[in-house]
Amino acid sequence: MLVLSHDSQVPLYTQLYSQIKGAILSGRFAADSRLPSVRDLARQHLISRNTVENAYLELYAEGYIYSKERSGYFVSPLSPDDVLVSPPARGAARETVQETQCLFDFHPARLDAEAFPERIWRKCLLDALHRGSRDLNHYSEAQGEGTLRGEIRKYLEQSRGVVCDIDQIVVCGGLQHGLDIVAHLLKDSRPVVAVEDPGYHLARSVFANHSLEVLPLPVLDEGLDLRALQDSRSTVAYVTPSHQFPMGCVMPIANRLKLLRWAREGGNFIIEDDYDSELRYHGRPIPSLQGLDPDGNIVYSGTFSKVLSPALRVSYLVLPHSLLPAYRRLFSDYAPSVSVLEQRALAQFMEQGHWERHVRRVRTLYRKKHDALLRALARHCGERASVIGQGAGLHVVVQLHDTAVKEEELVAAARHSGIKLFPFSTTCVNRKPEEGMVILGFGGLSIDRIEEGVALLFQSQQKRISAE
Amino acid sequence: MLVLSHDSQVPLYTQLYSQIKGAILSGRFAADSRLPSVRDLARQHLISRNTVENAYLELYAEGYIYSKERSGYFVSPLSPDDVLVSPPARGAARETVQETQCLFDFHPARLDAEAFPERIWRKCLLDALHRGSRDLNHYSEAQGEGTLRGEIRKYLEQSRGVVCDIDQIVVCGGLQHGLDIVAHLLKDSRPVVAVEDPGYHLARSVFANHSLEVLPLPVLDEGLDLRALQDSRSTVAYVTPSHQFPMGCVMPIANRLKLLRWAREGGNFIIEDDYDSELRYHGRPIPSLQGLDPDGNIVYSGTFSKVLSPALRVSYLVLPHSLLPAYRRLFSDYAPSVSVLEQRALAQFMEQGHWERHVRRVRTLYRKKHDALLRALARHCGERASVIGQGAGLHVVVQLHDTAVKEEELVAAARHSGIKLFPFSTTCVNRKPEEGMVILGFGGLSIDRIEEGVALLFQSQQKRISAE
DNA sequence: GGGTATTTGTCCGTATGTATG
DNA sequence: TCATACATACGGACAAATACC
């Protein structure tokens, strides 16, 4: 019945335990039936009684058996229907993922591999670890470390014209996490969320995941179509006014004021996603919408992902005062979701001026790439396409004049030559995807690779076209 | 009676030895009276039997005690004249640190300030930073770094009996974030979520925040009342089977199987919150519910917050296969919310065996505190209260026999003496809060502080009572 | 039916190996 | 290397329950 191996690594009493457990679960030991007495089992297997007893005690602790003093151990009644048939032993993990290697990745969210300020970050991390390791034992401030929020507030005020105090700032683990929170705050009013079309697909997902009604509205040359917004039933507008994704336009001040008025008069909310405002390559950065109406119903969202590293998972919200009560009610006893260590490192990084310096450095770096991309585009398809949305961010949109090109084929062909394209249609909902729209992200490629990649892309496309 | 200091330089067995010797010499232990058995003393102080035995052997060697084989140790009869009157000099004087702000925080979520393995963690962090800084530029795997998930899988399989592959594991930023995800996955079915009452209030908040219908069900001696569950309309059950919060009971196997059956037959879901399974102070850790039915509808949730540091914000879910499609649909293009750097550091921490070692170390540490708390309780209110849910975790529940005590007053009075109590009623919903229930968390206090705090707490309470 | 021998859970002390620092 | 502590194994002593005469 029971088989014990004395040579096994697993202790005798554990072997006994698991075999008896198995017998009980599989029903071979009926409910309330007596188990062999401690002595019997010990004799039978030529082991100590205490060894058996240890096994029994373990089973007892987990409720498999019960004991009647001086009478015996008995199987706990497990209703037979409860008992599972097969206690399966699944094998080890499936080995996964062989990514086809792609040489030119034009995904708009790729960043420069060298740009991360490794040395300085290490120093900040170590300082944070050293200074604060005594403090790592309690759960910290729910909205994020005070020092970090202070630094964020200073930065936002100076560089983005955002007006707020630190109580309005919530540190969170990425844009999507921030939008999750916002969706929660707003959902009670059963909002209708107007989103840009084309627009940031991941933001749409968040709202949709929260079962909010999402209403895609067209994007004009000047950003979200405000006429359409006013005519709609929307109560919330998610916008990227400083640098529309993906089209790259800036919402002019007239539209901004109109948008603010829409919010104010209708009691509506604006979610301002300022995802890459640091990256403007000429002129001053566009001041934020929030700064125009600091007391309005505006949720401002920013991130460290683009400039510092997406691997850090730190972003932040600035909530309007009107949402603070709801925030406190819902989230006051949520723990923060960003590592305190990294929050402190980041606070120090900013406090010591590394952030400002790094922003400048990165801006120069990407401007060069941006320029290289434009040069390459001019050279390799200057006639056949026009560029939309240059001058900021980490990508541009290329509008091919030959509108007969199917996106799927384009992407597939590019893939074939080792080029990864992010399909424009991903950003669209209702708007029927214009044929010949191509998003080219340049953050992750070196200047040389940008040149090569563009050449390859339009060379192959040329071939494809001329083959027809 | 006997007091052991675990922080002391002097070995445990030596402390035992000298205290027993003192008791014998001073006549507090009568001649020929039996000493506590090796097992009893070991259990009582939660130390190994061998440690006690070493002390006894020393006493035996010096003739203070004799042993009757298989019967016990007994005090040697010493002629009274031989006994010295003055006990020997006490060791180094206790430093009487007069802390101005003497706050005793008995919150159950506090952890030891010194427990964080700073040096090793720094090394892992730096390695991760160094090796991976080239990789920090793109957004990483949505469910978490593969290496980390691999290590988690291995650990769960070995230590918790959880059966899964790494595709089922989702790394997230804390229990609440994990439950957020689960709530999303389940919400389409408009679930009714049964929760334990009393139970973990923060979990309830998450479900409520997602507008799920929350149904508090009573907790019996063996955990969630399954009869009530079956009679309810619930379609999801959130449970803490390995160590119910806050009552500390373990769900016996019969109930586990019944619960599994409830899920299987009704197509219902179980959320198994295994928040502190690492911290069991005697016997083996209770195997997980998930391992009993790996193909069932069980979401398993675990965390690194308790054992490593809550400041890290890393936890994980194991999703059942049935939820994977929904997860992919909703979250496949969410970025992960935990810093890639820390994920990698953690993966290395586990890979190199630091995690296992650290778990052991921490378990010992908290066991000592747990033991100290029980001793202090026995000394200061042994008659007036009984302890519930000891033997695991970071808190116990004290049931005061004087049930006329109002919780508010108790908490206020404690607060007045510099003691922070976490109100039991916080964990309750419908269940009318039993008067006289007190949750005492011992994680964040040193052994000395535990002793002082308990003394202070019950001293002040005594005064309060006698004043009436 | 009442005494008795046996069985049984439960307690006891003990020996050895091993992990840790 | 060595001290310390724990895990895993061991067999004996005892009293209550049980079976048997």
Side-chain angles (χ1 to χ4, degrees), chain B residues 398-418:
Chain B
V398 175
Q399 160 88 70
L400 301 179
H401 294 157
D402 174 10
T403 55
V405 185
K406 282 252 195 305
E407 179 176 83
E408 287 173 35
E409 296 171 13
L410 184 68
V411 171
R415 179 104 223 163
H416 197 69
S417 356

Side-chain angles (χ1 to χ4, degrees), chain B residues 289-300:
Chain B
L289 202 56
Q290 197 269 1
L292 289 173
D293 188 8
D295 295 319
N297 287 332
I298 304 172
V299 177
Y300 176 92

Side-chain angles (χ1 to χ4, degrees), chain B residues 34-82:
Chain B
R34 239 198 78 204
L35 291 169
S37 81
V38 175
R39 281 172 162 79
D40 270 353
L41 212 54
R43 227 189 327 261
Q44 188 181 333
H45 294 277
L46 292 166
I47 55 181
S48 163
R49 294 205 296 268
N50 287 359
T51 306
V52 179
E53 201 193 333
N54 280 338
Y56 280 11
L57 283 179
E58 188 60 32
L59 291 163
Y60 176 75
E62 298 179 18
Y64 288 96
I65 61 176
Y66 62 93
S67 85
K68 280 202 247 177
E69 192 122 333
R70 271 108 212 165
S71 166
Y73 282 97
F74 300 83
V75 176
S76 296
L78 306 174
S79 104
D81 310 325
D82 297 342

Side-chain angles (χ1 to χ4, degrees), chain B residues 321-343:
Chain B
H321 287 103
S322 54
L323 285 180
L324 287 182
Y327 175 80
R328 301 239 158 83
R329 183 163 41 82
L330 293 174
F331 290 99
S332 63
D333 50 22
Y334 269 52
S337 79
V338 179
S339 160
V340 174
L341 206 58
E342 291 193 337
Q343 286 191 57

Side-chain angles (χ1 to χ4, degrees), chain A residues 1 19-33 35 64 75-87, chain B residues 257:
Chain A
M1 176 82 90
Q19 291 190 43
I20 296 173
K21 183 169 93 173
I24 293 174
L25 284 175
S26 67
R28 275 174 289 148
F29 283 181
D32 291 314
S33 64
L35 290 169
Y64 286 95
V75 176
S76 294
L78 310 175
S79 100
D81 308 324
D82 292 346
V83 175
L84 295 163
V85 235
S86 64
Chain B
L257 293 176

Side-chain angles (χ1 to χ4, degrees), chain A residues 276-333:
Chain A
D276 68 354
S277 55
E278 288 88 1
L279 302 175
R280 291 207 76 79
Y281 305 131
H282 23 76
R284 313 237 123 259
I286 314 287
S288 71
L289 204 55
Q290 198 267 3
L292 290 174
D293 188 7
D295 295 322
N297 286 334
I298 302 172
V299 176
Y300 176 91
S301 164
T303 180
F304 293 97
S305 296
K306 302 284 175 186
V307 170
L308 203 45
S309 166
L312 287 187
R313 313 309 314 146
V314 186
S315 72
Y316 48 89
L317 292 176
V318 179
L319 297 176
H321 286 104
S322 55
L323 284 181
L324 286 183
Y327 175 80
R328 301 240 158 81
R329 183 165 42 82
L330 292 175
F331 291 100
S332 63
D333 49 23

